[in-house]
Amino acid sequence: MPVQANFSDAETVLTQPYFNQARQMAERAIESVDGRVKVFNCSDGALVRGAEPLRAEQIALRAYDKQADIDLIRSSFRPLRAGEDWEPFPMAGEQLLSLYKKGLLNELKMKKFNWFKFAKIVDSIDHMVLKRLPRKSVVEGDMRLEPYMEVVRELLIMWYRFLCFGNNEHEWQQVYEVGYQELAALIEDMHWDDL
């Protein structure tokens, strides 16, 4: 959507609704201080009513000791407290990954390759493995396993593609077995690093 430009180099600039809404909120905030604060708009973007268009290099800043302001800002914050500001995960990451790996290997294992079962694995491996984990070991918003799961999903897709090149049950079984060995080795090698 076109809006009036901050500088006269261009008559209008293009913006999106989210940014336009932020601009309108800034205009209301500037209006609410009723001239008690001087506001400059140094952007090459949209004009903001109530803010003076000015290039950053044109603003003469006065020197002052900022330490008192820094101390005031810092004093407004306190360390976050477990149980009050955040809840610890119900299970340590290393233990969670260990259970994930075990569940993953169990879901991937087949004595005889089966297209239907393998397609189901490719489509829903995350759900299949997560439901094997103990109740409440993964809470909503817990993304700690996501990097591991993403790698597994990508490798399953590649494995599926290799299987598609097979022409008969014997070839599919061979590709499945080699793929399982390779993926199992990679899964066993996954480890948890506490940073």
Side-chain angles (χ1 to χ4, degrees):
M1 71 182 351
V3 292
Q4 187 176 350
N6 189 41
F7 295 112
S8 59
D9 309 7
E11 192 171 308
T12 61
V13 292
L14 295 177
T15 190
Q16 53 183 290
Y18 176 79
F19 292 139
N20 195 47
Q21 188 177 30
R23 177 188 62 83
Q24 291 168 340
M25 290 172 64
E27 289 175 346
R28 280 187 233 123
I30 293 168
E31 188 179 322
S32 73
V33 296
D34 198 27
R36 294 186 308 270
V37 176
K38 192 160 188 141
V39 179
F40 301 110
N41 181 356
C42 302
S43 81
D44 288 321
L47 179 75
V48 177
R49 273 184 294 115
E52 182 181 337
L54 209 58
R55 301 277 181 199
E57 59 272 8
Q58 295 174 299
I59 298 174
L61 297 175
R62 60 181 171 82
Y64 83 102
D65 182 13
K66 298 177 229 158
Q67 193 58 51
D69 289 337
I70 292 170
D71 293 341
L72 181 63
I73 292 168
R74 285 189 175 148
S75 71
S76 300
F77 297 92
R78 62 173 172 74
L80 299 177
R81 290 178 231 153
E84 187 177 324
D85 299 307
W86 61 276
E87 293 294 327
F89 290 118
M91 185 176 286
E94 189 171 2
Q95 183 183 5
L96 184 63
L97 178 60
S98 176
L99 290 172
Y100 170 73
K101 289 164 51 173
K102 183 179 176 184
L104 190 56
L105 291 171
N106 285 336
E107 289 295 343
L108 293 172
K109 188 68 176 161
M110 287 185 257
K111 288 183 181 173
K112 186 169 192 256
F113 177 74
N114 176 302
W115 270 111
F116 179 75
K117 183 176 180 192
F118 193 81
K120 184 178 176 187
I121 289 169
V122 172
D123 286 341
S124 54
I125 190 66
D126 296 347
H127 176 72
M128 293 166 74
V129 174
L130 291 176
K131 78 178 188 184
R132 283 181 166 267
L133 298 178
R135 292 188 119 206
K136 299 186 180 181
S137 59
V138 179
V139 293
E140 187 177 340
D142 184 351
M143 301 295 289
R144 294 177 295 163
L145 288 178
E146 185 57 32
Y148 304 97
M149 293 163 72
E150 181 64 28
V151 169
V152 169
R153 284 191 298 263
E154 291 297 321
L155 291 171
L156 281 174
I157 291 168
M158 293 304 296
W159 190 6
Y160 183 86
R161 289 177 181 159
F162 279 110
L163 283 160
C164 287
F165 285 103
N167 294 314
N168 56 53
E169 288 184 20
H170 176 71
E171 289 180 4
W172 295 327
Q173 185 67 33
Q174 284 183 311
V175 173
Y176 166 76
E177 288 173 3
V178 170
Y180 181 84
Q181 289 171 358
E182 294 293 325
L183 190 53
L186 181 130
I187 291 166
E188 288 296 339
D189 197 38
M190 289 178 169
H191 62 278
W192 184 265
D193 285 328
D194 284 320
L195 299 177

